[in-house]
Amino acid sequence: MGDEVGKMPVNSIPGSRFSHLKVSTMRSQLALRLRSSSFPLNAVPPSASSTDYSTHLADLAAHILYRSPLPSENDLPVFILNAAALPDTKHTDYDALLPYVLVRLPDEEELIGGQGYELVFFAGGSNEGATATKKGRPGWGWFFQAYQVLSRAMRKRLQKMYIVHEKNWIRILIEMFSTVVSPKFRKKIVHVSTLTGLALHIPIEYLLIPPSAYMIDRRLSKDIHVPYTSGRRAFAVQQPLPVSASGIHRLPRVLREATSFVIMDSVVKTEGIFRISPRAMVVDILTEAYDRGQKFIVWREGNVALSHGHRREGVGEVWVDELEQTEGYDLHTAAALIKQWYKELREPIFPQTCYMALDKFYGSYSEAKEPLKVSQLLDILSESDKWSPINTTAKKILTMHLLPLLSRVTEFQEWNQMTAYNLAVCFGPCLLRGPDPLEDVRIASIISRILMAMVMHWKEDLAPRFEMDFWKFEESLRMPEAVEDREDPLQDVQGRRSSLEAQTSGITLVDNDESDEEVEKPPLPPRPVVSPIDSAPRPAASPVENVSPDTAVRRKPAPPIQSLPRYSMVVTERPVTLEHIPFYNTVPDEEEIAPLGSLPELSELSGLPEYEPSSATATSPASTIPRKPLPKS
C-alpha cells in the first residue's frame, strides 16, 4: 500500500492521506532543523571533587528536580519537576545546568533492576505578579537536545507523567516531541489542571508539593478536594487536645511541628516574631494541608530547615532528603499558623460567659495598671479551683503550650524585641470570640493584662506548680513513638452511622400486600376533651388537645355594626302610604324583623290616602335639574 501511494501523483492522493503525509514531512523537517541548530549536550556533570563542579548549579538542580519521600501506590519512586524553580536564561547557562538536573534521575542500574518511576511536573511556573519581568526560557532546539541526552532506560522506564497547571508552550512541546517519540510515550502522559484533578489519580497527601505549586493552584481553585480524604482535622476540632495511646493528653500535630520550628535557637531570635503577618493565602494553604493530613511540610528560615518524618507500613521511617535545598515556609508563617489554631477553637480560651467575672475581678487592675499577684493567676489556672472563669480544657492548653511558648520567646527579647507585653497584645484577641465586637475589644485589654502577668511569672512561679519546665515542654514537642499519635485523630461525627449495615440495623420492612401476619396498627391520637360549657355544636372540631381559656389564643374582636344614616329614605314610584311599613335608623334585631307573610300586600293598601311629602322634603321646580329632551323618532 505504501508503494502504491508513493507511485501515485500528488494530485491523485486523497485529501486526508495527503494532509497526513504533508504534516508528517513538516514535522520531520522541523525536528531535523532543531537537531542541527543545537550543539550536543553533556549528560554527566563534573565530579564533586573537580574544580569545574558548580555548587550553585547543583543547588538549582535540587530545587528543579527532587525525589518525593514516599513511593507511589505501585511502589515506584516519584520525582517532582518544578517549573517555578527554573532560572532565567539571562543569568544561567542551561547547557551547563542540564547535567546537574539529569543526574538526579535514577541511574541505569536502578532502572534496569527496578520497575520504573513516575514523574509529577508542576508546569505552572513562578507565582509572580503581572508587573514582574517574565523569565526567559531556552529555545525549542534545546528541549530536543535535552530529550536526546536521556538514555533509553530513562525513556522506557517512565511509567506515568502527570502534568499539572499546564500552559500552552507545554502542549506545543509535547506535540513537537511526537515526531521523535513513539505513541506509547504519549499514552503515559496525564494532563490535569489543578491539584484536585491530580488527587483523582494519585494520593497527593504523600507528595512533597512545593509552596509555589500551592500558590498557583489557589489562583485556579479556592479549595483542594480529595475524594479519599482521611477525615483528620487540625483546626476547629471538638477535642483540641487529643488523647494519646497511653491515655494522657497530647499536643496536636500542627502545634507540635510549628512550635518546634519557632523555638529553635537560631530562629527564635528573629525580630518581630508573632507580630509580623505573612500572606493570608499561605496561612490558608497550610491550614488546608494540615486538615487534609499532608505528610510532609518543610519549614525554612535562612539556612535552617526543619521537617518531621513519617512512618509507613512496609517502608519504615521516611524523611525528606536534601532538606537544605528543599523549598519551605518561613518563621512568620509558622507563628501565624499557631495564632490561627487559637482563633479557630470551637470554644475560645476565654468564652463570653466569663466576661462578667473578668470585668469584676480583674477589670480594676487593668484600669489602674497594677500588676496581678500570683495567687490571682492561680485562681484562673488551677484545675482544683471551681470558681475559675475558664474551663479545664482551656487551662490545659495554657499550661501545656501557650505559656511555655511565650515564656521561651521572651528569653530572647533582646534580639526579637518581643516582650511579655508585646506578646500579650498580639495573642489577646486570639483567645476570645464573642458576638459583640465592641465588647470583645474592651475585654481583650483585660485578657492581655492577665496574659502578660502569666508570661512574666511563668518560669519562676507558675511552671514549678504545674510541673512544666522547658525540658518537659520540649519533650512534648517531639515526634511520638506510637504511630497512631503522629496524626491528629479522626473528627467525631455524632448521630451518623459508619456503614450501610449499621444504618439498616433494627429496621424491618414488611410488604402489606403479601404478608399474612397481622400488623398492629399504630394508636390514633387522643380526642380533644370537650367541657360542658363548650358542649354546644360547633362548625368543625379541631384535632388538638383541650386548651384552657387562660392559654387560648386571643383573637381580635369583630368590628361593631355601623348604623344607617338618618337621612335615608325609601324611593318608590307609587305614592302610597308607607306608615304601616316599619323603617329604622339602625339595623334591627332578628326578633324585631316581621315575617314576610305578615306584611300587607300593596293591593290591600289601594284604598288608603296617598302619601304627600312635607314641605321640607318637596323640591321646587326651580331646584330641579333640567334634562335634555329625548330625540324625536
Side-chain angles (χ1 to χ4, degrees), residues 416-437:
N416 55 35
Q417 305 298 323
M418 295 302 294
T419 61
Y421 173 77
N422 294 337
L423 292 173
V425 171
C426 294
F427 263 93
C430 302
L431 306 181
L432 75 166
R433 184 178 62 253
D436 188 1

mmCIF file of all heavy atoms in Angstrom, residues 416-437:
data_model
loop_
_atom_site.group_PDB
_atom_site.id
_atom_site.type_symbol
_atom_site.label_atom_id
_atom_site.label_comp_id
_atom_site.label_asym_id
_atom_site.label_seq_id
_atom_site.Cartn_x
_atom_site.Cartn_y
_atom_site.Cartn_z
ATOM 1 N N ASN A 416 14.666 39.565 69.417
ATOM 2 C CA ASN A 416 13.393 39.599 68.685
ATOM 3 C C ASN A 416 12.494 40.771 69.062
ATOM 4 O O ASN A 416 11.448 40.974 68.438
ATOM 5 C CB ASN A 416 12.625 38.285 68.883
ATOM 6 C CG ASN A 416 12.411 37.950 70.356
ATOM 7 O OD1 ASN A 416 12.225 38.827 71.191
ATOM 8 N ND2 ASN A 416 12.439 36.660 70.667
ATOM 9 N N GLN A 417 12.849 41.536 70.090
ATOM 10 C CA GLN A 417 12.092 42.721 70.510
ATOM 11 C C GLN A 417 10.649 42.389 70.899
ATOM 12 O O GLN A 417 9.754 43.221 70.773
ATOM 13 C CB GLN A 417 12.085 43.775 69.391
ATOM 14 C CG GLN A 417 13.444 44.196 68.895
ATOM 15 C CD GLN A 417 14.289 44.848 69.990
ATOM 16 O OE1 GLN A 417 13.765 45.581 70.835
ATOM 17 N NE2 GLN A 417 15.585 44.562 69.986
ATOM 18 N N MET A 418 10.429 41.195 71.392
ATOM 19 C CA MET A 418 9.085 40.778 71.789
ATOM 20 C C MET A 418 9.069 40.539 73.300
ATOM 21 O O MET A 418 9.479 39.490 73.789
ATOM 22 C CB MET A 418 8.659 39.509 71.039
ATOM 23 C CG MET A 418 8.518 39.689 69.546
ATOM 24 S SD MET A 418 7.337 40.974 69.079
ATOM 25 C CE MET A 418 5.812 40.249 69.651
ATOM 26 N N THR A 419 8.603 41.541 74.033
ATOM 27 C CA THR A 419 8.471 41.448 75.475
ATOM 28 C C THR A 419 7.159 40.746 75.833
ATOM 29 O O THR A 419 6.355 40.408 74.968
ATOM 30 C CB THR A 419 8.517 42.839 76.099
ATOM 31 O OG1 THR A 419 7.422 43.614 75.588
ATOM 32 C CG2 THR A 419 9.829 43.551 75.757
ATOM 33 N N ALA A 420 6.961 40.550 77.141
ATOM 34 C CA ALA A 420 5.712 39.916 77.582
ATOM 35 C C ALA A 420 4.511 40.779 77.230
ATOM 36 O O ALA A 420 3.438 40.250 76.878
ATOM 37 C CB ALA A 420 5.774 39.656 79.088
ATOM 38 N N TYR A 421 4.668 42.065 77.286
ATOM 39 C CA TYR A 421 3.556 42.962 76.935
ATOM 40 C C TYR A 421 3.253 42.875 75.440
ATOM 41 O O TYR A 421 2.079 42.812 75.033
ATOM 42 C CB TYR A 421 3.910 44.395 77.324
ATOM 43 C CG TYR A 421 2.899 45.414 76.842
ATOM 44 C CD1 TYR A 421 1.689 45.578 77.490
ATOM 45 C CD2 TYR A 421 3.175 46.208 75.725
ATOM 46 C CE1 TYR A 421 0.756 46.499 77.047
ATOM 47 C CE2 TYR A 421 2.252 47.130 75.268
ATOM 48 C CZ TYR A 421 1.046 47.287 75.940
ATOM 49 O OH TYR A 421 0.134 48.205 75.493
ATOM 50 N N ASN A 422 4.281 42.862 74.591
ATOM 51 C CA ASN A 422 4.057 42.785 73.154
ATOM 52 C C ASN A 422 3.395 41.458 72.756
ATOM 53 O O ASN A 422 2.492 41.421 71.914
ATOM 54 C CB ASN A 422 5.376 42.947 72.405
ATOM 55 C CG ASN A 422 5.975 44.331 72.590
ATOM 56 O OD1 ASN A 422 5.268 45.295 72.899
ATOM 57 N ND2 ASN A 422 7.287 44.435 72.437
ATOM 58 N N LEU A 423 3.829 40.365 73.376
ATOM 59 C CA LEU A 423 3.217 39.075 73.066
ATOM 60 C C LEU A 423 1.780 39.018 73.543
ATOM 61 O O LEU A 423 0.917 38.418 72.877
ATOM 62 C CB LEU A 423 4.039 37.953 73.713
ATOM 63 C CG LEU A 423 5.440 37.724 73.123
ATOM 64 C CD1 LEU A 423 6.194 36.700 73.964
ATOM 65 C CD2 LEU A 423 5.352 37.263 71.681
ATOM 66 N N ALA A 424 1.496 39.608 74.723
ATOM 67 C CA ALA A 424 0.121 39.604 75.232
ATOM 68 C C ALA A 424 -0.796 40.412 74.331
ATOM 69 O O ALA A 424 -1.957 40.043 74.117
ATOM 70 C CB ALA A 424 0.102 40.156 76.656
ATOM 71 N N VAL A 425 -0.298 41.519 73.794
ATOM 72 C CA VAL A 425 -1.111 42.326 72.881
ATOM 73 C C VAL A 425 -1.388 41.564 71.584
ATOM 74 O O VAL A 425 -2.482 41.657 71.010
ATOM 75 C CB VAL A 425 -0.412 43.666 72.596
ATOM 76 C CG1 VAL A 425 -1.113 44.434 71.489
ATOM 77 C CG2 VAL A 425 -0.363 44.514 73.863
ATOM 78 N N CYS A 426 -0.416 40.767 71.107
ATOM 79 C CA CYS A 426 -0.605 40.013 69.866
ATOM 80 C C CYS A 426 -1.542 38.821 70.056
ATOM 81 O O CYS A 426 -2.319 38.491 69.147
ATOM 82 C CB CYS A 426 0.749 39.534 69.338
ATOM 83 S SG CYS A 426 1.860 40.864 68.817
ATOM 84 N N PHE A 427 -1.480 38.174 71.229
ATOM 85 C CA PHE A 427 -2.262 36.964 71.444
ATOM 86 C C PHE A 427 -3.589 37.224 72.131
ATOM 87 O O PHE A 427 -4.457 36.349 72.120
ATOM 88 C CB PHE A 427 -1.459 35.960 72.283
ATOM 89 C CG PHE A 427 -0.748 34.928 71.457
ATOM 90 C CD1 PHE A 427 0.563 35.133 71.071
ATOM 91 C CD2 PHE A 427 -1.385 33.771 71.062
ATOM 92 C CE1 PHE A 427 1.233 34.198 70.312
ATOM 93 C CE2 PHE A 427 -0.729 32.825 70.305
ATOM 94 C CZ PHE A 427 0.585 33.038 69.920
ATOM 95 N N GLY A 428 -3.774 38.368 72.768
ATOM 96 C CA GLY A 428 -5.016 38.623 73.486
ATOM 97 C C GLY A 428 -6.265 38.484 72.638
ATOM 98 O O GLY A 428 -7.206 37.755 73.006
ATOM 99 N N PRO A 429 -6.334 39.127 71.468
ATOM 100 C CA PRO A 429 -7.547 38.992 70.640
ATOM 101 C C PRO A 429 -7.776 37.588 70.099
ATOM 102 O O PRO A 429 -8.894 37.283 69.668
ATOM 103 C CB PRO A 429 -7.293 39.990 69.495
ATOM 104 C CG PRO A 429 -6.296 40.960 70.029
ATOM 105 C CD PRO A 429 -5.432 40.170 70.948
ATOM 106 N N CYS A 430 -6.759 36.708 70.107
ATOM 107 C CA CYS A 430 -6.931 35.348 69.587
ATOM 108 C C CYS A 430 -7.578 34.417 70.601
ATOM 109 O O CYS A 430 -7.962 33.303 70.231
ATOM 110 C CB CYS A 430 -5.575 34.773 69.175
ATOM 111 S SG CYS A 430 -4.695 35.743 67.942
ATOM 112 N N LEU A 431 -7.700 34.851 71.860
ATOM 113 C CA LEU A 431 -8.175 33.975 72.920
ATOM 114 C C LEU A 431 -9.640 34.188 73.258
ATOM 115 O O LEU A 431 -10.129 33.599 74.225
ATOM 116 C CB LEU A 431 -7.314 34.165 74.183
ATOM 117 C CG LEU A 431 -5.803 33.989 73.989
ATOM 118 C CD1 LEU A 431 -5.087 34.173 75.315
ATOM 119 C CD2 LEU A 431 -5.470 32.632 73.389
ATOM 120 N N LEU A 432 -10.334 35.042 72.549
ATOM 121 C CA LEU A 432 -11.750 35.279 72.829
ATOM 122 C C LEU A 432 -12.482 35.478 71.512
ATOM 123 O O LEU A 432 -11.889 35.869 70.500
ATOM 124 C CB LEU A 432 -11.947 36.484 73.736
ATOM 125 C CG LEU A 432 -11.774 37.895 73.151
ATOM 126 C CD1 LEU A 432 -12.341 38.927 74.094
ATOM 127 C CD2 LEU A 432 -10.322 38.231 72.889
ATOM 128 N N ARG A 433 -13.780 35.213 71.557
ATOM 129 C CA ARG A 433 -14.611 35.362 70.366
ATOM 130 C C ARG A 433 -16.056 35.439 70.821
ATOM 131 O O ARG A 433 -16.690 34.435 71.118
ATOM 132 C CB ARG A 433 -14.402 34.198 69.404
ATOM 133 C CG ARG A 433 -15.167 34.337 68.096
ATOM 134 C CD ARG A 433 -14.875 33.178 67.162
ATOM 135 N NE ARG A 433 -15.295 31.909 67.707
ATOM 136 C CZ ARG A 433 -14.481 30.983 68.168
ATOM 137 N NH1 ARG A 433 -13.165 31.203 68.189
ATOM 138 N NH2 ARG A 433 -14.938 29.838 68.649
ATOM 139 N N GLY A 434 -16.568 36.663 70.906
ATOM 140 C CA GLY A 434 -17.933 36.893 71.349
ATOM 141 C C GLY A 434 -18.800 37.465 70.251
ATOM 142 O O GLY A 434 -18.318 37.827 69.164
ATOM 143 N N PRO A 435 -20.104 37.602 70.510
ATOM 144 C CA PRO A 435 -20.995 38.132 69.472
ATOM 145 C C PRO A 435 -20.869 39.633 69.271
ATOM 146 O O PRO A 435 -21.239 40.141 68.219
ATOM 147 C CB PRO A 435 -22.394 37.745 69.980
ATOM 148 C CG PRO A 435 -22.236 37.651 71.466
ATOM 149 C CD PRO A 435 -20.852 37.168 71.715
ATOM 150 N N ASP A 436 -20.381 40.355 70.284
ATOM 151 C CA ASP A 436 -20.294 41.809 70.208
ATOM 152 C C ASP A 436 -18.835 42.205 70.031
ATOM 153 O O ASP A 436 -18.022 42.038 70.945
ATOM 154 C CB ASP A 436 -20.868 42.438 71.478
ATOM 155 C CG ASP A 436 -20.981 43.953 71.370
ATOM 156 O OD1 ASP A 436 -20.637 44.491 70.296
ATOM 157 O OD2 ASP A 436 -21.410 44.598 72.344
ATOM 158 N N PRO A 437 -18.427 42.743 68.877
ATOM 159 C CA PRO A 437 -17.021 43.118 68.682
ATOM 160 C C PRO A 437 -16.567 44.224 69.622
ATOM 161 O O PRO A 437 -15.401 44.222 70.048
ATOM 162 C CB PRO A 437 -16.974 43.562 67.212
ATOM 163 C CG PRO A 437 -18.168 42.946 66.573
ATOM 164 C CD PRO A 437 -19.216 42.901 67.635
#
